[in-house]
């Protein structure tokens, strides 16, 4: 790319992409192929032995995926990335790379409901153990760490509560204890917040949400910050010990500051298999081209809607860090001054029943389990995304019985507010 120091919007459009060398196609083609022809037998051997980078088989790597990976790595300021089939698959590959049976990690209690399930249920079957801590009290993370701890996991902007987290305070704790900090940056997107600049080591995204941005394609990605020394403690053998299947190479020695992303690809994705389809990679990288425009409009609309709801007599409370009197406002101003995101929660007077009636009365809003679409979305977390949790876990995750969650789209704010207004008028 020609500019020496391209800005965020330039990277969103160009990073990773060049005209197709064969056809001159300007948009990245969808390389809809399972496999790639080797030049000769030595070339094939070098690719399989990790002596040379190159395409072998789309489960492991594909040129359309590669553009997406390079683009998100550039937007986050990381060294390398690995795109996979979903946000959950990316989380799975991150932990597969760093955990062993009997090991644990410390995670924020305030997380996306699906992550609470994945960590507490599926991971338990691998004998990987999550310990919950409270982001309002960073010391609780330190208290949960022991010799078997391998990482700390937080969301930069927590789903569904819409609360910002003091990333650098938690990064300091992680690094003092020799651990990497993993940050799920799905809700903020790198347009609002780049956690690597605040001490994070690994970033994970559900590409399904704001990065893809149009509610049409599943995907996930992990970004290697290139900052963490995986060899020091002996706790991360996948990265720091010889790999017999690759001729005894040590990934950390061979690949340096991209060793984590390489390990997740050539050990995790190779064996576990959740590859993203080239078509979804294409859809998501096209979405990313307009991320800065969309994200700003999401934030501006959400602030206008939150202000309007706040003064409405049928609304008990609004939890939006963009509001000046919100307890989270100072953290938002520090970490995400361009806006507070598009997702927030509020409580409707009349509790569970009123919430249900309200959701059913909306017409422009779609009632569904997603966030980060161009369209405005609504859900009642306690009966849906957070349903499998106990009521205590629901409240801790910011998804108690009276909570309604909105994901504000990029329509005209006046139309979004008019829809909320007519639905509230019908609630008795
Ligand atoms: C949706 C979501 C995930 C999971 O991503 P999928 O693409 O649905 O697998 C993880 N974290 C957060 C914050 C999310 O919103």
């Amino acid at each position: 790319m020609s500019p020496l120091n391209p800005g965020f919007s330039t990277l969103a459009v160009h990073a990773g992409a060049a005209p197709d060398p064969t056809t001159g196609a300007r948009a990245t083609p969808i390389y809809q192929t399972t496999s790639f022809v080797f030049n000769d037998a030595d070339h094939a051997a070098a690719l399989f032995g990790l002596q040379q980078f190159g395409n072998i088989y789309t489960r492991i790597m594909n040129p359309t995926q590669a553009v997406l990976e390079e683009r998100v790595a550039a937007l986050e300021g990381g060294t390398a990335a690995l795109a996979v089939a979903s946000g959950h698959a990316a989380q799975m590959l991150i932990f597969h790379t760093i955990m062993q049976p009997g090991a644990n990690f410390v995670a924020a209690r305030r997380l996306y409901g699906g992550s609470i399930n994945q960590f507490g249920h599926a991971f338990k079957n691998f004998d990987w153990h999550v310990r919950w801590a409270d982001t309002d009290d960073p010391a609780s993370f330190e208290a949960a760490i022991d010799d078997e701890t391998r990482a700390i996991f937080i969301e930069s902007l927590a789903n569904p509560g819409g609360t910002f987290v003091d990333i650098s305070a938690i990064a300091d704790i992680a690094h003092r204890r020799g651990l990497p900090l993993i940050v799920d940056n799905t809700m903020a997107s790198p347009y609002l917040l780049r956690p690597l600049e605040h001490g994070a080591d690994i970033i994970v995204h559900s590409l399904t949400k704001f990065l893809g941005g149009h509610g049409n394609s599943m995907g996930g990605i992990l970004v290697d910050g290139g900052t963490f020394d995986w060899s020091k403690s002996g706790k991360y053998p996948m990265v720091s010990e010889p790999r017999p299947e690759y001729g005894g190479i040590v990934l950390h020695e061979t690949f340096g500051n991209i060793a984590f992303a390489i390990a997740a690809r050539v050990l995790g994705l190779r064996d576990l298999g959740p590859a993203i389809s080239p078509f979804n990679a294409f859809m998501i990288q096209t979405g990313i081209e307009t991320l800065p425009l969309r994200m700003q409009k999401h934030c501006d609309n959400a602030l206008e809607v939150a202000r309007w709801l706040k003064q409405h007599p049928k609304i008990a409370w609004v939890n939006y860090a963009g509001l000046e009197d919100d307890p989270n406002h100072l953290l938002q101003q520090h970490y995400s001054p361009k806006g507070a995101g598009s997702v927030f929660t509020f409580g409707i007077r009349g509790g569970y029943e009123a919430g249900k009636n309200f959701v059913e009365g909306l017409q422009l809003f779609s009632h569904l389990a997603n966030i980060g679409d161009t369209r405005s979305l609504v859900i009642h977390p306690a009966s849906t995304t957070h349903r499998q949790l106990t009521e205590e876990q629901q409240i801790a995750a910011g998804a108690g019985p009276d909570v309604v969650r909105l994901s504000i789209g990029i329509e005209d704010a006046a139309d979004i507010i008019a829809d909320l207004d007519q639905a509230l008028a019908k609630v008795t």
Side-chain angles (χ1 to χ4, degrees):
M1 214 189 315
S2 47
L4 265 184
N5 227 331
F8 190 90
S9 295
T10 306
L11 291 172
V13 173
H14 290 283
D20 183 60
T22 309
T23 61
R26 179 63 267 209
T28 299
I30 303 169
Y31 288 94
Q32 190 70 19
T33 181
T34 56
S35 5
F36 301 84
V37 176
F38 307 119
N39 301 338
D40 53 41
D42 285 344
H43 178 223
L47 292 178
F48 272 94
L50 294 185
Q51 278 112 28
Q52 202 178 320
F53 277 117
N55 299 304
I56 300 175
Y57 187 59
T58 286
R59 166 149 46 75
I60 300 167
M61 184 165 162
N62 169 290
T64 315
Q65 289 158 217
V67 173
L68 173 62
E69 286 159 352
E70 227 181 288
R71 187 162 299 170
V72 176
L75 294 179
E76 286 288 5
T79 52
L82 175 61
V84 290
S86 68
H88 267 17
Q91 291 175 184
M92 174 67 207
L93 291 185
I94 288 172
F95 285 101
H96 178 259
T97 308
I98 62 175
M99 299 292 280
Q100 299 89 42
N104 67 67
F105 62 100
V106 183
R109 200 171 269 120
R110 214 181 267 144
L111 290 185
Y112 170 65
S115 299
I116 296 175
N117 279 336
Q118 185 187 47
F119 295 172
H121 296 298
F123 282 10
K124 204 169 10 169
N125 290 334
F126 304 133
D127 201 19
W128 304 343
H129 302 277
V130 59
R131 299 176 169 192
W132 303 112
D134 183 357
T135 41
D136 294 334
D137 173 20
S140 67
F141 283 83
E142 181 132 39
I145 294 168
D146 67 13
D147 287 346
E148 294 311 315
T149 304
R150 295 292 183 270
I152 293 180
F153 184 99
I154 59 173
E155 290 178 2
S156 53
L157 170 57
N159 178 0
T163 47
F164 285 88
V165 171
D166 191 351
I167 300 169
S168 48
I170 296 173
D172 287 347
I173 292 168
H175 298 156
R176 199 169 342 118
R177 304 298 294 264
L179 302 171
L181 176 64
I182 303 161
V183 177
D184 180 338
N185 200 31
T186 299
M187 290 258 292
S189 90
Y191 171 74
L192 290 179
L193 201 172
R194 310 210 303 169
L196 295 175
E197 293 170 357
H198 303 285
D201 300 289
I202 303 290
I203 306 297
V204 61
H205 277 282
S206 170
L207 296 169
T208 315
K209 315 292 170 55
F210 294 98
L211 288 171
H214 295 72
N216 58 24
S217 306
M218 298 291 300
I221 199 162
L222 63 89
V223 180
D224 189 341
T227 43
F228 191 74
D229 183 350
W230 302 97
S231 66
K232 216 157 78 185
S233 64
K235 287 182 178 168
Y236 308 99
M238 277 218 193
V239 193
S240 71
E241 284 177 17
R243 295 304 309 184
E245 73 267 63
Y246 292 119
I249 66 169
V250 174
L251 296 181
H252 175 77
E253 288 169 4
T254 306
F255 295 104
N257 68 1
I258 60 168
F260 181 86
I262 295 282
R265 183 189 304 277
V266 305
L267 304 176
L269 184 57
R270 179 198 65 179
D271 292 353
L272 297 172
I276 188 171
S277 77
F279 182 76
N280 279 19
F282 171 83
M283 292 299 281
I284 292 165
Q285 77 198 33
T286 303
I288 290 173
E289 292 178 8
T290 56
L291 174 71
L293 301 170
R294 285 186 289 104
M295 209 62 205
Q296 194 59 57
K297 178 77 168 169
H298 278 301
C299 290
D300 295 347
N301 277 354
L303 182 58
E304 204 171 325
V305 171
R307 285 194 175 129
W308 182 85
L309 283 170
K310 179 105 185 176
Q311 52 72 49
H312 197 285
K314 288 185 182 172
I315 302 300
W317 52 268
V318 178
N319 216 335
Y320 186 62
L323 296 170
E324 288 75 8
D325 58 350
D326 190 271
N328 221 234
H329 189 60
L330 279 179
L331 274 180
Q332 183 252 316
Q333 290 291 299
H334 177 68
Y335 282 104
S336 180
K338 287 192 288 245
S342 113
V343 179
F344 65 93
T345 53
F346 65 89
I348 190 164
R349 290 191 205 285
Y352 190 93
E353 278 307 309
K356 242 181 76 193
N357 291 344
F358 167 71
V359 167
E360 281 166 3
L362 288 164
Q363 291 163 356
L364 181 66
F365 277 79
S366 305
H367 179 201
L368 54 74
N370 193 22
I371 57 169
D373 194 321
T374 48
R375 290 155 274 260
S376 289
L377 315 174
V378 62
I379 202 160
H380 181 227
S383 61
T384 56
T385 51
H386 287 63
R387 183 187 183 86
Q388 283 111 325
L389 308 182
T390 65
E391 186 166 326
E392 197 184 28
Q393 283 176 314
Q394 286 175 349
I395 291 167
D402 62 326
V403 175
V404 175
R405 184 188 76 188
L406 302 181
S407 173
I408 300 297
I410 60 173
E411 305 98 332
D412 288 296
D415 293 329
I416 298 170
I417 288 172
D419 193 39
L420 294 166
D421 197 29
Q422 64 80 24
L424 280 171
K426 289 188 286 202
V427 172
T428 45

